[in-house]
Amino acid sequence: MNNNYPEKTCHIDRLVTHPKLVAAALSGQKTQQRRDGIYAYPGETFELEGTTFTVTAVERQSLGDMTDADAQAEGYPNLDAYKDLILRMHAGMTWNNDSLVWVHSFKRND
């Protein structure tokens, strides 16, 4: 385990799974994934449809600190579109600006 981070809560292969988000990562539009736990540590690699990606950073962020640029790095046109989809995907969830998430940044290895 990397001593600078908590223990992983899920396997790296679960970091990017939705087909639209996989396509966005493969095209270079998606370079971040927010999760409520740690799925990977910096330097680790994962594969999407035969293409390898490297996790470049893992940081803690509150939902209230998200910007349109962050939503675009997630593969969405803006923050409103990101919020709308997240709330539809997670029934009963409310958007809490104080909620903390782990931002996994990654790059495509060409």
Side-chain angles (χ1 to χ4, degrees):
M1 182 179 114
N2 183 322
N3 291 331
N4 298 325
Y5 299 98
E7 209 170 306
K8 285 185 191 177
T9 54
C10 204
H11 193 271
I12 192 171
D13 291 343
R14 302 289 306 148
L15 185 61
V16 181
T17 57
H18 190 281
K20 285 184 180 179
L21 298 180
V22 169
L26 289 168
S27 74
Q29 293 176 303
K30 181 175 180 61
T31 59
Q32 292 182 347
Q33 178 68 54
R34 281 159 179 75
R35 296 288 188 183
D36 61 356
I38 298 267
Y39 284 46
Y41 300 126
E44 285 191 83
T45 60
F46 62 98
E47 215 172 90
L48 299 173
E49 296 182 7
T51 300
T52 303
F53 293 80
T54 299
V55 175
T56 58
V58 177
E59 302 171 324
R60 204 76 159 128
Q61 181 188 53
S62 70
L63 291 178
D65 287 336
M66 277 190 77
T67 64
D68 279 339
D70 291 324
Q72 290 164 1
E74 282 272 0
Y76 298 90
N78 55 47
L79 186 55
D80 287 337
Y82 177 81
K83 280 184 187 180
D84 182 56
L85 184 85
I86 293 299
L87 293 175
R88 280 189 285 127
M89 284 176 53
H90 302 283
M93 177 185 168
T94 57
W95 187 271
N96 179 347
N97 284 336
D98 295 329
S99 291
L100 293 173
V101 293
W102 288 99
V103 181
H104 299 75
S105 298
F106 53 86
K107 66 178 175 103
R108 181 180 170 144
N109 299 356
D110 288 319

